[in-house]
Amino acid sequence: SYVPDDGLETDLETYLRGQAGMLADASRFDRRHLVFHVLAAGWMAAAQGRDDLAHAALDAVDSYPELTGFPANADMARVLRAELALQAGEADKAVDILASRNAVGEELYLAHVVRMRALEAAGDPAGALAQAEWLRSHRGLAYVEFNSLNILQPVNVIESNLALGSAARLAAQLGRPELAATRQAEFESAWPGQKNMDVVARRFGAD
């Protein structure tokens, strides 16, 4: 969650274990989506510091062919592993996990989000800006990407907005004030009142 409440961790664990519990008896069609949903819940858990749940998600799907047989599922597993590395302070490892797939151009929108954050954490603002610009130029994908029954659409749309704020900050850091001003204006247009949003403060801190 981008603005978590007190019940988030309990809800996440209930959802993740519930989805994982249906894997064994599911049809292959349903299992394709269940695998993705377990991994997506694992990513959310990792982002909230619940490494135990994140690893439980990876363990739950590891034996199923749908993990690697569907590109979106394989991508979601990479995103989860990269998030775990990023949360552990291993930004370079997170970048490496996503690097080869990010070169293909068919990866999940979320993979670029996590790689942008990892590159910034690894001390590569130029690389992070390139990812932010990719997210901006593929903003429509945030809305239409199927991933798995469009389950990531809310995440993608939020991140497409946050990417504009990231681009503004990274451009300023790189001494590109005109680009920074342009992206900041786009950010404020995309999210009027964003200065008062908790989700913005959680990502960028209080300005």
Side-chain angles (χ1 to χ4, degrees):
S1 174
Y2 290 85
V3 185
D5 59 32
D6 293 338
L8 175 64
E9 291 188 15
T10 299
D11 290 343
L12 258 182
E13 183 166 6
T14 300
Y15 176 78
L16 191 158
R17 299 196 186 284
Q19 296 288 291
M22 293 189 284
L23 284 167
D25 297 326
S27 67
R28 189 167 189 218
F29 175 82
D30 289 338
R31 192 180 295 128
R32 173 261 189 267
H33 295 294
L34 286 168
V35 166
F36 191 97
H37 296 179
V38 169
L39 291 168
W43 170 73
M44 290 187 69
Q48 300 300 320
R50 285 295 304 272
D51 290 7
D52 57 325
L53 284 181
H55 285 292
L58 288 168
D59 291 343
V61 302
D62 186 61
S63 64
Y64 292 102
E66 291 81 6
L67 174 61
T68 55
F70 292 88
N73 288 355
D75 274 358
M76 195 65 235
R78 289 187 190 92
V79 168
L80 171 47
R81 292 189 182 99
E83 187 68 49
L84 281 167
L86 189 55
Q87 295 295 327
E90 299 175 328
D92 289 337
K93 180 179 178 180
V95 172
D96 289 343
I97 289 170
L98 296 170
S100 59
R101 179 62 176 161
N102 266 186
V104 175
E106 299 175 353
E107 57 284 342
L108 291 175
Y109 192 85
L110 185 59
H112 288 272
V113 171
V114 177
R115 189 159 190 243
M116 175 189 69
R117 292 170 45 226
L119 284 163
E120 184 174 10
D124 183 2
L129 178 59
Q131 291 297 305
E133 290 290 279
W134 189 97
L135 291 164
R136 174 186 175 274
S137 67
H138 292 75
R139 188 172 169 82
L141 184 62
Y143 290 84
V144 303
E145 179 187 82
F146 179 69
N147 46 78
S148 173
L149 306 175
N150 303 103
I151 193 174
L152 289 182
Q153 187 187 63
V155 169
N156 288 346
V157 172
I158 289 171
E159 291 291 353
S160 73
N161 287 335
L162 290 172
L164 298 172
S166 292
R169 286 160 173 75
L170 289 163
Q173 183 179 342
L174 290 165
R176 301 177 63 182
E178 291 184 3
L179 179 61
T182 298
R183 296 293 178 263
Q184 183 62 30
E186 291 174 350
F187 185 36
E188 293 175 2
S189 176
W191 255 355
Q194 48 85 21
K195 291 182 179 179
N196 299 318
M197 292 182 179
D198 289 343
V199 62
V200 175
R202 283 174 62 83
R203 177 61 59 87
F204 302 123
D207 290 334

